[in-house]
């Protein structure tokens, strides 16, 4: 049986946001409310739509932990995302956990938990619209199509994201390098860490800056987790890592 590993952060957020309403009392007083029944119903409908794309799948829902290990890499990571979760968000998750398998891994975003689980188990399909998941070898359903990602393609996309950055997540990459520019650069220089360093240095930035961007960009796999996330460290000019740093939860 195929198991769908679903980025449920995205689904529940969207479902709860669409169920919000406001009441304007005038004199600068506006009350925000939500219909839990609508929010939960929206969520179930979205999950059913995904399940209908596959034959009798099992599903596991993944959510982000409240503690994010990337904050130890850059304290301002996603700092621009200061909007609170929509009304009913936690209540919907609690209700889902009564009838579904829910996974939250300590210090990890849902993306990383998906990556770790998918590379530790067979017959899994990651379900996420997030382009970051193109780093993870295996099968990905991006809510439009299903395709397979091999290890080399995942490595290349990781390097592309390191160089291009992601303004949504709050890391800049190397100035002037978007996705297409990065792809052209790597096609000419090779998909290696040395190429990444070369690109950053061409913009007057150090290897330390390149490494910080890589650690923010890297979606974890089973090789990057051992009782806690393991930060990316390059060890040769081609690919791969072995000298790595484990991030410990400060509450441990």
């Amino acid at each position: 049986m195929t198991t769908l590993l679903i980025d449920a952060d995205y689904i529940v957020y969207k479902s709860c946001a669409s169920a919000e309403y406001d009441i304007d009392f005038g004199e600068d007083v506006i009350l925000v409310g939500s219909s839990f029944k609508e929010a939960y119903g929206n969520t179930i409908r979205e999950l059913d739509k995904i399940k209908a794309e596959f034959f009798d799948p099992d599903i596991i829902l993944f959510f982000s932990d409240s503690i994010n290990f990337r904050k130890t890499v850059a304290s301002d990571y996603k700092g621009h995302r200061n909007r609170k979760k929509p009304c009913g968000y936690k209540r919907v998750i609690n209700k889902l956990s009564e009838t579904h398998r829910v996974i939250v891994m300590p210090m990890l975003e849902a993306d990383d938990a998906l990556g770790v689980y998918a590379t530790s188990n067979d017959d899994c399909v990651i379900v996420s619209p997030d382009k970051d998941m193109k780093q993870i070898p295996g099968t990905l359903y991006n809510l439009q199509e299903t395709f397979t990602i091999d290890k080399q393609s995942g490595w290349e996309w990781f390097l592309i994201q390191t160089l291009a950055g992601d303004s949504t997540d709050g890391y800049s990459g190397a100035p002037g390098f978007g996705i297409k520019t990065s792809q052209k650069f790597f096609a000419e220089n090779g998909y290696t860490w040395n190429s990444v360093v070369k690109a950053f240095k061409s913009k007057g930035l150090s290897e330390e800056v390149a490494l910080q961007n890589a650690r923010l960009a890297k979606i974890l796999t089973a090789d990057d987790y051992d009782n806690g996330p393991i930060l990316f460290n390059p060890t040769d000019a081609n690919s791969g890592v072995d000298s790595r740093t484990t991030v410990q939860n400060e509450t441990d």
Side-chain angles (χ1 to χ4, degrees):
M1 175 184 291
T2 298
T3 301
L4 305 183
L5 313 180
I6 301 177
D7 178 357
D9 270 345
Y10 165 79
I11 292 172
V12 173
Y13 190 102
K14 181 178 72 171
S15 297
C16 290
S18 66
E20 283 189 337
Y21 58 85
D22 60 76
I23 303 172
D24 190 345
F25 289 96
E27 298 183 0
D28 295 327
V29 178
I30 299 175
L31 177 67
V32 177
S34 175
S35 165
F36 173 75
K37 181 178 180 180
E38 182 180 348
Y40 187 72
N42 291 343
T43 301
I44 295 301
R45 279 192 294 274
E46 290 296 319
L47 294 176
D48 286 344
K49 283 167 58 178
I50 291 170
K51 290 167 62 177
E53 296 293 323
F54 299 85
F55 179 74
D56 192 28
D58 188 15
I59 68 170
I60 305 176
L61 309 181
F62 289 76
F63 293 94
S64 298
D65 188 28
S66 59
I67 299 173
N68 189 333
F69 81 90
R70 287 183 176 82
K71 292 286 188 179
T72 67
V73 178
S75 60
D76 59 349
Y77 176 72
K78 289 188 176 180
H80 60 295
R81 294 191 185 185
N82 54 12
R83 186 187 186 280
K84 72 174 185 65
K85 292 289 194 297
C87 293
Y89 183 83
K90 289 185 178 179
R91 185 176 173 187
V92 168
I93 295 175
N94 290 338
K95 181 66 174 178
L96 287 170
S97 66
E98 295 176 5
T99 53
H100 297 75
R101 185 177 176 190
V102 170
I103 291 181
V104 179
M105 296 182 68
M107 300 183 71
L108 302 192
E109 297 181 65
D111 291 354
D112 300 297
L114 285 163
V116 171
Y117 191 98
T119 53
S120 303
N121 296 273
D122 297 325
D123 299 322
C124 294
V125 177
I126 291 177
V127 180
S128 173
D130 195 330
K131 65 183 184 302
D132 293 352
M133 304 315 298
K134 291 165 64 177
Q135 294 183 28
I136 304 301
T139 305
L140 172 65
Y141 173 54
N142 66 0
L143 304 184
Q144 295 181 334
E145 60 179 329
T146 302
F147 49 94
T148 300
I149 301 163
D150 60 33
K151 188 173 182 179
Q152 179 62 26
S153 296
W155 165 256
E156 292 178 2
W157 187 250
F158 158 58
L159 294 185
I160 289 167
Q161 288 196 289
T162 297
L163 189 51
D166 189 332
S167 59
T168 302
D169 286 344
Y171 63 96
S172 59
F177 281 89
I179 295 296
K180 290 184 178 180
T181 307
S182 299
Q183 290 172 323
K184 180 179 179 181
F185 177 83
F186 285 120
E188 295 172 351
N189 293 274
Y191 282 89
T192 69
W193 180 249
N194 281 352
S195 295
V196 173
V197 174
K198 177 180 178 181
F200 274 83
K201 287 187 174 180
S202 75
K203 300 298 181 178
L205 299 173
S206 66
E207 182 170 1
E208 287 73 21
V209 174
L211 182 57
Q212 182 185 59
N213 276 268
R215 287 174 168 176
L216 295 175
K218 184 75 166 67
I219 304 301
L220 304 187
T221 67
D223 292 334
D224 307 311
Y225 191 84
D226 183 10
N227 294 318
I230 302 171
L231 297 180
F232 171 81
N233 272 304
T235 57
D236 64 44
N238 297 310
S239 64
V241 299
D242 57 25
S243 176
R244 299 175 293 174
T245 303
T246 301
V247 178
Q248 296 296 328
N249 188 337
E250 293 182 358
T251 62
D252 289 348

